Amino acid sequence: MIGEDVSERLEVIPAQLRVIVTRRPEYACRACGEGVKQAPAPDHIIEAGLPAETTLAHVITSKYADHCPLYRQAQIYARQGIDLDRSTLAG
């Protein structure tokens, strides 16, 4: 080998927003007679709330570390097809 040319490029991969679905089936045991059993639900950082921990971390980091106001964050989410009000982000 005589040599090689190496070039580097910086590529942006936008954030991915996903809905995580948790299914908890219910089972009944005829033999034991204890009725219906179901696994406990996973803990949520906001009780019965939609955002995951990573979503909250992103909103807080964008607001306080990157100085991106909530109305701009709402616009960014809207461009990605996610409808979030500023009041929802603030809550």
Side-chain angles (χ1 to χ4, degrees):
M1 179 165 89
I2 297 174
E4 66 180 352
D5 289 333
V6 177
S7 66
E8 294 180 355
R9 298 185 310 161
L10 183 62
E11 185 176 1
V12 174
I13 300 172
Q16 296 178 0
L17 300 169
R18 297 180 180 170
V19 176
I20 306 299
V21 178
T22 303
R23 294 192 190 333
R24 299 181 307 128
E26 296 178 343
Y27 294 101
C29 178
R30 294 181 192 167
C32 62
E34 292 184 23
V36 178
K37 294 288 184 178
Q38 185 177 40
D43 293 332
H44 294 280
I45 198 158
I46 297 175
E47 191 66 32
L50 181 62
E53 293 81 4
T54 55
T55 307
L56 293 175
H58 185 266
V59 169
I60 292 169
T61 302
S62 295
K63 179 172 172 54
Y64 293 105
D66 299 336
H67 307 288
C68 184
L70 295 177
Y71 78 90
R72 285 191 196 149
Q73 291 186 48
Q75 291 172 345
I76 292 168
Y77 284 119
R79 283 196 308 264
Q80 297 177 7
I82 307 295
D83 184 29
L84 287 175
D85 283 338
R86 230 183 330 179
S87 61
T88 303
L89 292 171

